[in-house]
Structures are given as C-alpha cells and as structure tokens.
Amino acid sequence: MQAVILVGGEGTRLRPLTVTVPKPVLPLVDRPFLAYMLEWLRRHGVDDVIMSCGFLATSVRNVLGDGSQFGLRLRFVEEPEPRGTAGALKYAEDLLDERFLMLNGDVLTDIDLTAQLAQHDATGAVGTLALVPVEDPSAYGLVRTHDDHSVREFVEKPTADSIDTNLISAGAYVLERRVLDLITPDRNVSIEREIWPRLVGDGLFAFAADAYWLDIGTPERYLQATFDILEGNVQTAVTDRLGAGFVAVGDHVETSGRIVPPAVVERGCRIAAGAHVGSLVVLGDGVSVGEGSKIERSVVLNGSEIGPRCTLQDCIVAAGVRIGEGTVVSGGAVLGEGVTVGERNVLSRGVRVFPQTELPDGAITF
C-alpha cells in the first residue's frame, strides 16, 4: 500500500522551535515527529511513502533517510513553489499507484486505517475521508453524511445553531487515482475547497473513526501531544518503552534527585541533589538539571543546562539552551535553540525567545 504525506508548510505557528528544525522532524518525546506517522502507516500495511516537501526538504531527508529504519520505502518530492494540498498531490502524480492514502503531515493520530480501507472497498468509493470527533467543532469545517456514509455536504465556519455533528475531517484520505484527473496541473489547488465539493454525490464517502487525533501546529498542542504520548492516550511505540512504570531512563544517567512518572530521561543526563523531574517531563540527551531545580509538564531538548533552583513548568526548551540560577520558565514559554538566560529571570505567559538570544541576569520578570 502507498501513502503520500504533505509536509510542505514552514511551521510558523511553532516558532521559534521551527526556525532551526523543520516541523516534520521536530523531536517529540524520543523521536522525530514524523516517525510516529511512518510507524502508524507501517502497522496498517503501508510499505511505500512519498513525502511531498517544501520548506527545508533536505533536512527532512537527512533525518528520515530512505525509510528502511521504519520498514518501508521513503521517497521525496519537492514542490518548486507552494501548490496547495491538491496541487502538491498532482505534482507527485507520476509516482502514484491506482489507489493510495493521502495524509496531512501535521497530525498525531492512531486512526484504524485498515478499517477505513475496508469501508472504501465495500462502498466502491472514489475517495474516503476519515472523520474524527472533536469537543468544539466550531473551529473546524463540519462534514455531514448520509446513512450510507456518503458525504452530503461540507460546512465551513459553522455557527452555533448550525452544528449538528462533531465530526471533522482528520486529514487522512483513501483515494483512487482518477481523482487526479480533477486537479489542474501547475497551479495552487485546494483539495478541500475545490476537489471534494465536485465529488459530493459522485463517490465521496466518509469513515467515522473513534480515535485519537491532534494537530500539533502550536506549542500548546506540541506539549499536549507530548503528555498524551507519555500517558498512553495515543497508541505509539513509546508506550512499550515506558513500560508499566511509565518511566524510561537512558544509559549513563546520573541522578541524585527524583524522577516522577510519566517521564523520559535520555542518555547522559545529570540530575543534581534535590532536583525534581516530572511528572510529564522529557529530558533530551545530555541535559543537566541543577541542585534544587523543579521541572514539571515540560520538554527540555538535547544538551540544555538548567541551573540550580530553577522552576520550569508547562514550557518548551530547545537544544543547547543555558538557564541561570533561580530563573522561572512557565506558562507556555518557548525558548529557541542556543538561547542563554541569565539568573533570576521570569519568562511566562507564552513568551517566545528566538534562537541564540542572550538575556542578562534579571532582564525580564514577565
């Protein structure tokens, strides 16, 4: 089975993390984000994946390689310019089989693709859209269906009194190759706005999936995805690694402090006396945590140094960051790669500090 993954965006909502690292390979718990999607696809029989790339495509290829580590073939197609969701698909036309999956590369999910494919076969569909329930569908376009699962209509930006379903498109489609005939080549085309409406009543069906689904396009959702993976709310290989104790500790970790599950502490980390790490914490390779510091509900990536008596809560710290003694980082704050923060700073309320910035002692008490 073949799949096309669209990963052309620049990840602007995730800056400053994506200034230096493309979103598809941004570390999420213990592996590049897109690894979760490739592992999920492989579980459902996909063995050939085409990556439709734009921004920093070479970096994505360098991290993911040829796909052999995931048990599949991975090929890359680079758009010459942004062409929209359907335009990107059309650009990859020469590589596509008679039937394939098309996937939005921004999503963490465990939808049962095998069941979706089975329904697609049973209905004789031209295209089958996976739908997932969300608590607040007003922020998304709704998909209304008939009793036979065929799509009845799409409702963009629904008003409160027009919401009669909580099902939205999950960005996972089973498509027959003839869908490509509807896409004008060499221009920007939206599959959601231009192609799906033309197929309503003409072979477009929906598969309602009761599954985990999250778009990780913002720092808040990145943290939520991290927590959900650590807690096992979404089916991933990390659950097996954590085991019954919900803790994974790498080789050569030195700790005189406390690690509270669920947590992942990678190799070479150093946790000083009186330090408290967890719950819901990921420390990347070689992170050091100073004496008496406390880290909760946070991600600290490779090689960062947290000084003594610091407090980190609900924050993201990129690789190679230095945080001075007594500093507080909380409330959704995001520190980009290589940032240096002096002593006694307070960074909170979603503040974003871009890569290589240096803040002197006591510079910010935000």
Side-chain angles (χ1 to χ4, degrees), residues 7-135:
V7 291
E10 297 185 21
T12 53
R13 293 180 299 161
L14 271 169
R15 289 176 180 168
L17 300 175
T18 50
V19 172
T20 50
V21 180
K23 182 167 66 171
V25 292
L26 190 67
L28 182 62
V29 183
D30 65 351
R31 62 201 67 196
F33 166 63
L34 211 62
Y36 292 95
M37 181 166 281
L38 296 176
E39 291 164 353
W40 165 59
L41 291 172
R42 190 69 193 94
R43 290 198 301 270
H44 291 282
V46 173
D47 56 8
D48 182 19
V49 174
I50 297 160
M51 201 79 67
S52 177
C53 297
F55 183 67
L56 296 179
T58 300
S59 299
V60 176
R61 185 187 294 109
N62 289 345
V63 172
L64 298 178
D66 63 1
S68 56
Q69 62 180 310
F70 306 103
L72 44 76
R73 177 171 67 162
L74 187 56
R75 294 179 285 172
F76 294 83
V77 174
E78 298 182 35
E79 298 174 85
E81 68 281 323
R83 296 194 173 185
T85 47
L89 189 65
K90 185 72 171 179
Y91 191 72
E93 182 173 18
D94 292 345
L95 302 178
L96 298 178
D97 293 340
E98 288 303 313
R99 174 182 295 171
F100 53 88
L101 293 162
M102 176 182 174
L103 305 152
N104 181 341
D106 296 338
V107 170
L108 177 68
T109 186
D110 55 12
I111 290 169
D112 187 347
L113 294 174
T114 301
Q116 184 178 349
L117 283 159
Q119 181 189 293
H120 182 86
D121 268 334
T123 58
V126 176
T128 300
L129 289 63
L131 307 182
V132 290
V134 295
E135 288 187 11

